[in-house]
Amino acid sequence: MKVCIVTVYNSINSGSYWQAFSLGKYLKENGHEVYYYKRNNKGASASLCEKMKHIISLLIRFKFKAMVNYLKTIRDFTICNKNFNIIDEGEIDKIDLFILGSDTIWNLDTKYFTNNRKVYFGGAFQNKKKISYAASVANTKIETLNKYSEIKTYLNDIFKISVRDKHTKEVISNLINKEINIVCDPTLLLTKNEYEKLLTNNEEKNYIFLYLFKDLNEKHIIEVKKFAKENNLKIISGIKDCKWCDKSIVNAPQNFLNYMYNAQYVITDTFHGTIFSVNLNKNFIAINRNKNKVNEFLNKCNLNDRLISNQDIKQIFDKTIDYSFVNKILDEYRKESIEFLNNSLKD
């Protein structure tokens, strides 16, 4: 079957890259011909305009090292994006099935997804079979979706719907009378062993890997530095240049996987940083940024105690995670999600 994935595949974000890649990889391994629908980058961080704005912003603030790393980030994401077989609206007819998702493609609190709602809700693919896989509205409320009357029509035209979180299920259930399934993020369709096969060289050993959108507070910085010194560990930052860390790497998909996989400890405040930490069985801490998707995932895995606000870093790292128990939960979650996907494709 010729399948086209409609998602955010080329954002400057490793989580977005890996969710798109993982879903495509699973489909290919199950005999399908996989394509990705060309994304309208206008207004997105991946657009040339937004990239130039960021580069200029770094230049006028004399942040030359950060600018060089950002240019390397663009280069590496550009290389990785060659893994995606892109089609545009002129090639819709050859596709048998469109898969809407994953990621927050139904987040109408953002201008980008609001402007492109016809594509991400499937309205651009009339008379074509469509399913959604792990789509999310993020924190969008039902009142916001109700502003656009066509959304109900688009949703009713989707053959089978699956979402990534309870809030999205509740919102969509209030709009249409259809069964809504909750499935795992596509990055969980691949196991630790499968990610191991995708690794490239990373000679770093004995380090704490920070994958943070926002910096730690002063208390946690002091605690991390102390913990690293006591345990002879380096501190490596994975998203942005960090002056108090031993090293800052280029923010790129392959670096993310390599450094996440080989880390002794992980500290993150991102959804995919949390998911990969658990899937790769890391000793990790998730900094609480009041993200429902992070809290819900940790609750499902019975790992709520890894989510911290102002607790002591060392106390959390000193707690052992029973991954034999957690992996059973992940295996069942993965099994249920694959069953939904396979049944949708078969039907």
Side-chain angles (χ1 to χ4, degrees):
M1 183 184 293
K2 293 181 179 179
V3 180
C4 183
I5 299 171
V6 184
T7 191
V8 182
Y9 60 85
N10 64 343
S11 174
I12 308 298
N13 179 296
S14 292
S16 291
Y17 169 84
W18 283 111
Q19 61 86 16
F21 177 91
S22 300
L23 181 55
K25 188 174 191 298
Y26 174 81
L27 292 169
K28 289 174 188 175
E29 289 178 349
N30 283 272
H32 301 286
E33 194 174 322
V34 178
Y35 301 86
Y36 294 80
Y37 191 70
K38 187 175 182 179
R39 183 184 179 213
N40 174 16
N41 282 337
K42 186 177 180 181
S45 62
S47 70
L48 180 60
C49 179
E50 292 302 315
K51 289 174 184 174
M52 291 304 299
K53 283 181 183 178
H54 189 64
I55 291 168
I56 292 169
S57 171
L58 293 173
L59 268 175
I60 62 178
R61 288 180 290 155
F62 302 104
K63 295 193 173 184
F64 300 119
K65 183 179 179 182
M67 184 193 71
V68 170
N69 276 346
Y70 182 67
L71 290 171
K72 289 179 179 178
T73 292
I74 293 173
R75 175 202 64 194
D76 287 0
F77 270 95
T78 300
I79 293 170
C80 284
N81 287 335
K82 291 179 181 178
N83 288 319
F84 302 128
N85 191 7
I86 309 300
I87 65 166
D88 59 23
E89 59 184 348
E91 300 174 89
I92 288 176
D93 287 344
K94 73 178 184 182
I95 300 301
D96 301 307
L97 172 72
F98 286 87
I99 299 181
L100 311 175
S102 176
D103 227 320
T104 57
I105 59 168
W106 294 346
N107 178 8
L108 297 191
D109 284 335
T110 66
K111 186 177 180 180
Y112 172 77
F113 287 116
T114 300
N115 289 345
N116 293 281
R117 61 188 181 277
K118 186 174 182 180
V119 169
Y120 290 112
F121 280 90
F125 317 112
Q126 290 186 352
N127 303 316
K128 284 290 183 178
K129 182 179 175 183
K130 299 176 286 283
I131 67 169
S132 72
Y133 184 83
S136 175
V137 301
N139 295 320
T140 308
K141 295 181 179 178
I142 182 66
E143 293 80 9
T144 304
L145 273 75
N146 273 328
K147 292 178 182 178
Y148 309 96
S149 58
E150 71 273 24
I151 296 296
K152 288 184 181 180
T153 303
Y154 296 157
L155 289 169
N156 275 313
D157 197 40
I158 300 173
F159 175 56
K160 288 192 177 181
I161 297 178
S162 70
V163 298
R164 199 172 65 180
D165 54 87
K166 292 177 181 177
H167 174 68
T168 301
K169 179 177 180 177
E170 182 180 337
V171 168
I172 302 303
S173 295
N174 273 296
L175 283 171
I176 59 171
N177 184 26
K178 273 191 174 187
E179 181 181 2
I180 313 293
N181 296 269
I182 295 180
V183 294
C184 70
D185 186 82
T187 57
L188 287 172
L189 293 175
L190 305 187
T191 64
K192 179 181 178 181
N193 289 339
E194 288 172 300
Y195 280 115
E196 190 173 61
K197 297 172 184 176
L198 299 173
L199 295 173
T200 55
N201 292 332
N202 172 20
E203 296 178 357
E204 292 283 357
K205 302 293 179 186
N206 304 317
Y207 59 89
I208 303 171
F209 186 52
L210 307 184
Y211 193 73
L212 300 162
F213 284 157
K214 291 173 59 179
D215 206 352
L216 299 176
N217 62 36
E218 199 60 40
K219 173 184 178 293
H220 283 155
I221 290 174
I222 292 170
E223 289 174 358
V224 171
K225 290 169 73 174
K226 181 181 178 183
F227 184 83
K229 186 176 181 180
E230 290 174 349
N231 292 277
N232 196 27
L233 299 166
K234 291 181 181 178
I235 306 171
I236 298 177
S237 175
I239 292 185
K240 54 187 178 180
D241 189 39
C242 180
K243 293 181 180 179
W244 61 271
C245 294
D246 296 297
K247 181 178 179 180
S248 298
I249 62 170
V250 174
N251 176 22
Q254 194 61 55
N255 273 350
F256 167 79
L257 179 61
N258 291 343
Y259 280 84
M260 182 68 74
Y261 189 89
N262 288 312
Q264 273 62 50
Y265 301 89
V266 175
I267 301 176
T268 186
D269 62 1
T270 77
F271 177 61
H272 283 107
T274 304
I275 280 188
F276 272 86
S277 294
V278 176
N279 203 15
L280 299 179
N281 291 185
K282 297 285 111 179
N283 189 340
F284 77 100
I285 287 172
I287 303 298
N288 191 355
R289 306 290 192 208
N290 295 315
K291 294 180 179 179
N292 289 335
K293 56 188 177 182
V294 173
N295 299 6
E296 186 176 321
F297 175 70
L298 290 175
N299 183 58
K300 184 172 186 66
C301 297
N302 286 335
L303 290 171
N304 310 70
D305 60 334
R306 311 309 290 194
L307 183 70
I308 72 168
S309 296
N310 209 37
Q311 293 95 318
D312 183 75
I313 294 286
K314 184 178 186 302
Q315 285 183 352
I316 306 301
F317 276 151
D318 283 347
K319 293 180 182 178
T320 302
I321 299 175
D322 182 3
Y323 271 115
S324 61
F325 173 74
V326 173
N327 288 337
K328 288 179 182 178
I329 296 174
L330 287 184
D331 286 342
E332 185 61 29
Y333 195 20
R334 186 180 291 117
K335 180 182 176 182
E336 292 170 356
S337 303
I338 287 174
E339 185 176 349
F340 167 84
L341 198 52
N342 288 348
N343 285 341
S344 300
L345 291 164
K346 182 176 64 176
D347 290 344

